[in-house]
Amino acid sequence: MPSHLSADHPPAQPPGRGAVDALITQARRLKGDVDAVRREAQDDGSDPRGRWERALCDLALHQLNDLDEHLAQLRDGPPPVAVFAGPEDRPPAAPGGPPHGEPLGRVGSAEWNLLTDEATWSGELYQILGRDPAAPPLTLDELPSLVLDADRPRLTSMVTDCLVDAKPIDGEFRVVRADGTLRTVHMMGEPVLGADGGTDAMWAVLRDVSELRRSRRTERETRDSLQHHRHRAQTEHRLAVEFQEAVLPPWRGSARPPHRGHPGLDLAAHYLPASTSGLIGGDWYDALELSDGDTLLSVGDLTGHGPTVTSEMAMLLGALRGMAMTGTGPGRLMDLLNQLLDATAQPALGSAVCCRYRPATRTLVWAQAGHPAPLLFRDGTGRVLDAPDGVLLGATSSAVYGQAEETLKAGDLLLLHTDGLGPRRAGPATVRRLLGLAPRLGGARTAQDCVRTVVEEFGENEREDDACVLVARIV
């Protein structure tokens, strides 16, 4: 490696210029493809995954920019490192802007002659380090004056290893420019050996990698944030499942109710989680035998997902059970639940159906709060029960909830469900599909067979939201 390049002796044109041009074209095409992916990546400021994707794309673009400029330098050949007689011969700073306005990834070069204590810098290095091009280049002893205090030992160690033990330099340090800005510089260098094998000089290339390091730091921080988000989501999911399992009847899923059962009813229910989200919602179903022999049937749904909503659902269901045990009718229950939601610290909306079945007369008294009405299947056909008045729970403190009454027969099938069973905004279509199951439900032997038919029709993994289905056969 030569110790000096003179302005009077420019280097020869490097071979393979056509091949390098082809590589430059490929690099620029790839940059366009990556930039297109970056624009498609979502980043609304709150989603950790979107920030992570954009950070990776930014990093890839920085690296491709570097590759593009390095290939251009390879094609054009290295710029001469001129040896100036004095400060008056040095080129002036670029007018209209600071001397350090170098594009990302530009590479500067330097050589320090140990025999003459002379230093030569390329113009790019002046811009990288934020130095006035009219100033003389810094010697190896002076170079640490630009370096951040914490990084000076690292630079000193690298230079000493190179000069004393002829080890190549490959490391980074931070420099403080004259304007106070902090930049990260990657330095790669080699000793220049004399005829006697001793070190006569040190040659190095220096590259500003500040933006690259910033991108990698952003990527790392975003990745850490994403991992934290995933861990928190997993914890929330576990808590929500534990809440749900503690609150819903022990025969949740596809099991049968306890052996003592409910008077005059064959019951089965199923909870169907959403397929598009790992979060548990506020859906519930319940069947409670009351002290007078009646049975309370209910399904409902609170808006939202996660432990907070699940805990509010648990509160609401606990209140519903407690008030029902006092003999409170379905309409009054809806009114009291509405007042309870209206008084909570965090306002919430919910829908519900509450039915009280009296086996002695096979009478069903029910009320609803903005919820799909129960479906009644009899003799192979199905219909929607006429709904009494009732708006969403928590919508208004002045809501009034009516009651309706239906006389049932042995063999009748009552189906209660939440609106997540079908696609969003497809309530009427979901009801039509359920009513279309009438022949199959009529031929089912048990309530559990009926639930299995509904689950098969709507699929275990096709919902945008959680859903519950509760079936009661009159016996």
Side-chain angles (χ1 to χ4, degrees):
M1 180 183 301
S3 60
H4 292 280
L5 290 174
S6 171
D8 297 329
H9 299 87
Q13 196 68 250
R17 181 178 183 128
V20 175
D21 284 336
L23 288 174
I24 291 175
T25 300
Q26 293 178 26
R28 291 176 180 175
R29 184 181 301 116
L30 185 56
K31 279 199 300 183
D33 294 340
V34 174
D35 189 52
V37 173
R38 177 185 177 278
R39 289 195 301 271
E40 293 175 1
Q42 297 297 320
D43 185 14
D44 62 0
S46 61
D47 178 19
R49 176 171 292 277
R51 294 196 300 270
W52 177 67
E53 291 173 349
R54 289 180 69 89
L56 288 179
C57 288
D58 286 340
L59 177 60
L61 285 173
H62 286 319
Q63 292 172 329
L64 288 170
N65 283 333
D66 291 347
L67 177 61
D68 188 6
E69 293 190 16
H70 294 335
L71 288 173
Q73 285 184 311
L74 177 62
R75 177 193 60 194
D76 300 335
V81 181
V83 180
F84 301 105
E88 66 276 10
D89 296 326
R90 298 188 181 277
H100 53 271
E102 187 67 20
L104 172 66
R106 291 296 292 181
V107 175
S109 61
E111 186 172 327
W112 291 273
N113 190 314
L114 304 182
L115 302 180
T116 63
D117 201 28
E118 292 179 333
T120 53
W121 284 11
S122 69
E124 288 86 353
L125 185 55
Y126 277 92
Q127 297 185 17
I128 290 172
L129 299 180
R131 295 280 293 172
D132 183 355
L138 298 181
T139 66
L140 282 177
D141 291 334
E142 297 170 330
L143 184 62
S145 65
L146 298 180
V147 179
L148 198 68
D149 291 346
D151 293 352
R152 286 179 185 173
R154 183 183 310 139
L155 174 62
T156 301
S157 177
M158 289 190 300
V159 172
T160 301
D161 288 345
C162 179
L163 299 181
V164 176
D165 298 325
K167 292 182 179 179
I169 290 177
D170 188 353
E172 295 181 5
F173 52 87
R174 290 164 293 177
V175 298
V176 182
R177 290 174 163 176
D179 62 0
T181 59
L182 192 68
R183 306 298 290 179
T184 301
V185 176
H186 184 202
M187 182 176 185
M188 299 182 67
E190 296 178 351
V192 179
L193 303 180
D196 60 356
T199 303
D200 290 349
M202 192 185 84
W203 172 87
V205 292
L206 296 94
R207 174 187 176 207
D208 185 346
V209 294
S210 304
E211 296 304 320
L212 184 61
R213 294 297 168 261
R214 181 197 60 79
S215 297
R216 288 182 177 171
R217 183 171 59 254
T218 301
E219 176 199 0
R220 182 176 63 255
E221 292 172 351
T222 306
R223 183 174 60 248
D224 292 344
S225 175
L226 180 60
Q227 290 174 348
H228 174 73
H229 177 79
R230 285 174 176 168
H231 176 71
R232 187 169 121 186
Q234 291 169 353
T235 302
E236 289 184 349
H237 182 271
R238 176 178 55 79
L239 291 173
V241 169
E242 290 175 356
F243 267 129
Q244 197 178 63
E245 290 178 343
V247 173
L248 295 185
W251 43 279
R252 70 189 297 274
S254 298
R256 297 293 298 276
H259 292 302
R260 71 189 185 98
H262 292 255
L265 294 175
D266 173 24
L267 294 171
H270 195 80
Y271 175 86
L272 301 97
S275 58
T276 58
S277 172
L279 295 177
I280 300 296
D283 293 62
W284 86 80
Y285 63 85
D286 194 32
L288 177 67
E289 184 179 348
L290 304 176
S291 57
D292 59 1
D294 290 358
T295 298
L296 183 75
L297 304 175
S298 68
V299 297
D301 178 16
L302 284 182
T303 56
H305 295 84
T308 300
V309 172
T310 309
S311 64
E312 289 177 347
M313 177 270 287
M315 173 201 68
L316 206 66
L317 184 53
L320 176 64
R321 289 170 173 171
M323 292 184 292
M325 292 298 290
T326 67
T328 306
R332 180 57 177 162
L333 285 176
M334 292 292 101
D335 180 53
L336 293 173
L337 291 180
N338 182 61
Q339 294 180 38
L340 180 62
L341 273 188
D342 187 60
T344 56
Q346 294 182 337
L349 290 175
S351 67
V353 163
C354 180
C355 307
R356 189 178 184 113
Y357 176 67
R358 184 167 297 117
T361 59
R362 292 200 177 103
T363 302
L364 184 78
V365 180
W366 69 284
Q368 64 84 28
H371 198 89
L375 307 182
L376 176 61
F377 295 87
R378 177 182 294 170
D379 300 327
T381 62
R383 66 181 177 90
V384 182
L385 297 185
D386 294 331
D389 292 336
V391 298
L392 287 173
L393 300 173
T396 173
S397 58
S398 60
V400 176
Y401 297 91
Q403 286 188 167
E405 186 172 318
E406 191 79 25
T407 300
L408 304 179
K409 298 180 180 180
D412 282 355
L413 185 75
L414 195 67
L415 189 152
L416 284 66
H417 68 95
T418 57
D419 57 8
L421 193 60
R424 291 176 184 169
R425 298 176 295 279
T430 299
V431 171
R432 287 194 295 270
R433 287 177 66 183
L434 286 169
L435 294 176
L437 297 176
R440 295 170 60 186
L441 297 178
R445 293 181 299 174
T446 65
Q448 183 57 50
D449 290 338
C450 295
V451 168
R452 189 176 297 111
T453 297
V454 173
V455 172
E456 290 174 353
E457 171 67 20
F458 287 90
E460 283 278 10
N461 302 305
E462 299 178 1
R463 271 158 317 287
E464 302 173 23
D465 198 0
D466 299 25
C468 292
V469 58
L470 171 64
V471 171
R473 291 181 71 251
I474 312 302
V475 295

